[in-house]
Amino acid sequence: MASPRCPSFSSSSEKPEKSRENSELPSDLLLSEDDFSNEFHNLNYDTGFQTAPSSPPHTSVSADSSLPAKESTTDISSLPLPKLLRQPNIVPSPILLQGRDAVPSHHLLKVKSFSSLSKAPIEKYSSEFEAGGYKWNLSIYPTGDKSKDGEGHISIYLEMVDTSSLPAGWEVNAIFNFFLFDQFRDKYVGPQDATVRRFHCLKTQWGIVKFMDLETFNHPPNGYLVNDTCSFGVEVFIVKTTSKAECLSMLNNPKTYKITWNIPNVSRRKSDEIGCFIAGDYKWRVRFYPNAYQAEQGKINNNVFVALELDSLLPAGNKLFVRYTFRVMDQKKDNHVERSGSNRTSSAFGFRDFMSQAKFKDPENGYLVDDACILEVEFEVLGLVTPILGETILVLPHVSSQNSYESSDNEITWTLPTSLSQLLLQQPLHFRRQSTLPLPTASRSLDGPISAAGLLQHGSGRRPTFHRRRAVPSHYLLKIESFPSLSKAPIESYSSEFKAGGYKWELSIYPTGDKKNGGQDHISMFLRLLDTNSLPAGWEVNAIFTFFVFDRIRDEYVTVQDAITVLRFHSMKTNWGIPKFIDLETFNDRSNGYLVDGTCTFGAEVFVVKNTFKGERLSAIDEPVTCTYTWKINSFSSMTSEYHLSDKFVGGDYEW
């Protein structure tokens, strides 16, 4: 059997500037079959990222869209995989071709009799759909967009339509990906790309001129065109800078407070609110439920409840970052029960299930003696969380005789013209030097395979694809001041809630690495789905998410590029993440711009993949009939109506 050719992917020549991560690669960078067999024979071609184990349920566009006809004699078990592309000067890495199980979210087009469409007297076929609150056109050129040198390829474009209703000066930032269905391997295949494209009045269309060469597309073992049938798809995620943004200001030398209470007559207490006390600059109260109390939804909780309440009123949106420990003292054997945690709060925090009442009241234990117990609370305020309402940013893109700078390992000094200096006196600005400096060395940054089961992986032996962009992460932004203090704090991770896609999420950052999952000497980042109790039985949430770290010197957000891997959150798996997001040596190097003057910024985007796509089937006619109708209009000059209708006529099998 002839081996399949490599799918040829390249970026559109229509872009205003050449994209570093999407530039077309020369043919000598193709992996040979031997290279592929030796290095990637176990990867299939989802290339090392762990995807959802099964596709979510969806409405089938056509019953026969996923497999070839039964009479096909192709032995798919012996099919070689398509050749893959690799980057220059990097360990062979299939970065431009990615396969997944999940159906494209927003539009799926099945084409029957594709050969007839290719021979039809048209240049392209377009199909309209909605995504992100906007209308779009997916345009497919079956024999290539010849006006842009796309001969011998399939060209594919995404265009915004109905833009006349948008306000003057409108802009829409979007991440989109095109897909082609591999009917043999049951995978949706597309070039991986997390680049944010800017649509505006002068640029309403983006696309890929040489999406796939026709020889590869038509080769039967590749599974793209089976029985003259193929399926194309597209996903469009709108990047709106409406993210929740917060600033965590760590205290350099937080003070530890320790309070002890002897509580008598425990059996006669339904609850015990201990009086107000002062710790630091705030007032506090301790709440203690030694007996049963009524929890949410009217249920009785048979556990001991302890909580620390903030009795001071904070400004709107502000929260304290607190580490705390509760102890119930064992008065007989010194076998104290204690639980610790950390939280961001503007009200209360603690444990509803600190310990069972049975254990607490057991006379063999020493927690309750002569109907009295001893409760101890130890806590420290580690920092203050405040909302970020926005920053005024001045980007200086070029160096001239009037604007110059000197750079050293420790600082950047700007020399400004008088007019700009006067502007600084009127309003403080943040300076960010625009630069095309390269990313940190790949062997040091964002590198390392993950061994823990169930975690987002970067593949065995392959380096990830780096990606930079200017657009702010859509859903969450966390600025941390005095990051070294966070690293030294007696906590394992810092977590914060935000909303995206109709769900609540928690971003957890481990400043010195999640050591349980092999993240030593790295920053670890995880995403967890919250409030799952309100979801229906058997729930599943499929999502594409991305973590970011901000390069303050170059004014860019840096991430591991992965735009199409879908992770499946469900009742047994609510947490996904990257234990080795970035190594601490790279992160702490000031020249990389991630940690400057003890300050850094992390971000997150979460796009929920809901299968609400529009599905269409185009059945091209092998021998279309040409119909001609002549309409003679009398007294044309005397017609006053805005438009006129002819009589009905028949063309083919339809009335017109």
Side-chain angles (χ1 to χ4, degrees), residues 106 198 347 517:
H106 300 124
R198 189 168 66 98
S347 55
N517 288 306

Side-chain angles (χ1 to χ4, degrees), residues 417-609:
T418 304
S419 59
L420 189 56
S421 301
Q422 293 174 346
L423 177 63
L424 291 177
L425 298 176
Q426 301 172 13
Q427 184 175 10
L429 301 174
H430 298 274
F431 287 89
R432 295 174 183 166
R433 173 161 56 90
Q434 187 175 16
S435 172
T436 57
L437 294 177
L439 285 158
T441 305
S443 61
R444 295 173 53 202
S445 177
L446 298 129
D447 190 21
I450 310 306
S451 58
L455 299 176
L456 181 62
Q457 302 191 12
H458 289 315
S460 177
R462 104 177 158 86
R463 292 173 181 167
T465 304
F466 300 118
H467 180 68
R468 286 177 173 269
R469 78 181 205 195
R470 288 296 182 93
V472 178
S474 295
H475 301 123
Y476 185 65
L477 201 63
L478 174 65
K479 180 180 179 181
I480 302 177
E481 295 178 342
S482 299
F483 182 84
S485 297
L486 179 64
S487 302
K488 298 173 184 176
I491 60 168
E492 187 178 21
S493 66
Y494 175 81
S495 300
S496 183
E497 295 181 10
F498 64 97
K499 292 182 179 180
Y503 299 93
K504 290 183 75 174
W505 308 87
E506 182 180 73
L507 175 67
S508 296
I509 298 174
Y510 292 70
T512 58
D514 180 7
K515 299 171 181 62
K516 293 182 295 185
N517 288 306
Q520 296 91 336
D521 301 321
H522 287 73
I523 290 176
S524 305
M525 297 185 71
F526 291 87
L527 181 70
R528 184 163 70 95
L529 183 61
L530 301 177
D531 291 352
T532 58
N533 292 334
S534 60
L535 300 178
W539 64 268
E540 285 188 3
V541 176
N542 293 284
I544 298 169
F545 65 85
T546 307
F547 299 133
F548 299 85
V549 61
F550 184 54
D551 181 344
R552 299 170 65 84
I553 295 176
R554 299 162 189 88
D555 188 33
E556 293 174 329
Y557 292 89
V558 181
T559 185
V560 174
Q561 177 172 321
D562 181 30
I564 63 175
T565 298
V566 177
L567 284 308
R568 189 168 66 99
F569 294 80
H570 52 89
S571 58
M572 303 297 291
K573 181 63 181 176
T574 60
N575 194 55
W576 287 93
I578 306 179
K580 294 184 177 180
F581 178 69
I582 186 171
D583 71 273
L584 291 175
E585 183 182 356
T586 298
F587 179 78
N588 291 322
D589 188 341
R590 181 187 173 97
S591 64
N592 290 332
Y594 305 135
L595 185 64
V596 178
D597 298 330
T599 298
C600 58
T601 302
F602 297 94
E605 277 182 349
V606 184
F607 297 111
V608 176
V609 178

Side-chain angles (χ1 to χ4, degrees), residues 390-406:
E391 294 180 293
T392 304
I393 301 172
L394 175 64
V395 177
L396 301 179
H398 299 291
V399 176
S400 67
S401 57
Q402 291 182 315
N403 296 348
S404 62
Y405 70 89
E406 297 176 358

